Amino acid sequence: MRRKLVAGNWKMHGSLAENQTRLTQLVLALKGNEATDVAVFATAPYLFQCKSLLAASAIKWGAQDVSQFASGAYTGEISTSMLVDFGCSLVLVGHSERREIFHETNAIVAQKFAAVLSANMTPVLCVGETLEQRESGQTLSIIVEQIKAVLEEVSIADFKQAVIAYEPVWAIGTGKTATPEQAQEVHAAIRDLLAQYDANVAQGIQILYGGSVKPDNADAIFAQPDVDGALVGGASLNSDDFVKICNAAG
Ligand code: PGA
């Protein structure tokens, strides 16, 4: 039985004061929830704060992006070893905002995935199609391409230490959620793809859904057999909503 993981993607939001309130509320409210894995992805300057406020709890924290390079003259970049210094155990790679706005290619995403694994952290590989791609029937081929690009860089066994997040781009921050059936269809296809390489890896991997997950749609999404949790953007900024989503998963 796969455990569910609910992760909050704070994106470029937060401040010392806001985070202090939010993290303290989460620790208190989720104390009794041992059934679900919970994580937050804060922006890099606040990872030290996550470490100090979450270290004694079961809530994990991670980064929203990382450099594919180990160190060197890469102004503005943050390396995996720096994230390890701040206690990160998870890193988002290939979020659609990084792919679209910052032009991250499948090849760069694959290198970041490999870098995260080499640092013994868990990459959360985000995949998903745009509205145009969905409407022209390319959803599955786009996702297969995104995952195969990573498999050119690492082995299938490496996916044992990874998480996949299916995030249809048209559902992110738009209030439009994929229907539970649409999510299930893609999640099952991702698991089938991995099973062609290794059935055990396919069975064990957590596949999260992301895209306008809210307290009122979480139950139906989590009821799908291949949905193992959620990557939550907007609703993760409201502690009450995020806790409700975590509790829906457990
Ligand atoms: P959303 O964001 O929940 O606000 O749609 C999800 C994400 O981008 O991870």
Side-chain angles (χ1 to χ4, degrees), residues 47 51 60-62 82-90 121:
L47 291 171
K51 187 178 184 192
K60 296 175 182 166
W61 61 98
M82 295 171 189
L83 298 182
V84 169
D85 264 351
F86 286 93
C88 289
S89 55
L90 299 145
M121 294 183 290

Side-chain angles (χ1 to χ4, degrees), residues 16-76:
L16 275 178
E18 245 178 76
N19 302 347
Q20 162 107 25
T21 308
R22 193 178 301 130
L23 292 168
T24 312
Q25 286 169 338
L26 293 186
V27 169
L28 260 177
L30 292 169
K31 221 174 202 162
N33 184 339
E34 280 160 21
T36 309
D37 296 333
V38 177
V40 294
F41 292 99
T43 47
Y46 300 116
L47 291 171
F48 78 95
Q49 192 185 19
C50 291
K51 187 178 184 192
S52 79
L53 292 175
L54 297 179
S57 80
I59 303 172
K60 296 175 182 166
W61 61 98
Q64 298 171 8
D65 184 33
V66 71
S67 173
Q68 66 270 43
F69 305 112
S71 66
Y74 301 104
T75 302

Side-chain angles (χ1 to χ4, degrees), residues 138-215:
Q138 295 178 74
T139 299
L140 296 183
S141 63
I142 289 293
I143 286 159
V144 166
E145 210 179 294
Q146 290 170 334
I147 294 175
K148 281 195 172 169
V150 176
L151 280 165
E152 277 172 25
E153 191 73 34
V154 303
S155 76
I156 186 70
D158 289 324
F159 274 75
K160 276 189 199 148
Q161 205 197 307
V163 172
I164 294 178
Y166 167 53
E167 298 207 305
V169 178
W170 48 273
I172 296 177
T174 58
K176 276 192 211 156
T177 326
T179 63
E181 294 71 29
Q182 284 173 323
Q184 170 58 24
E185 186 193 7
V186 177
H187 283 228
I190 292 172
R191 216 178 288 287
D192 283 350
L193 170 68
L194 296 177
Q196 290 168 21
Y197 296 84
D198 186 318
N200 287 332
V201 169
Q203 266 320 302
I205 196 164
Q206 287 171 317
I207 307 177
L208 315 184
Y209 168 78
S212 299
V213 176
K214 310 278 177 223

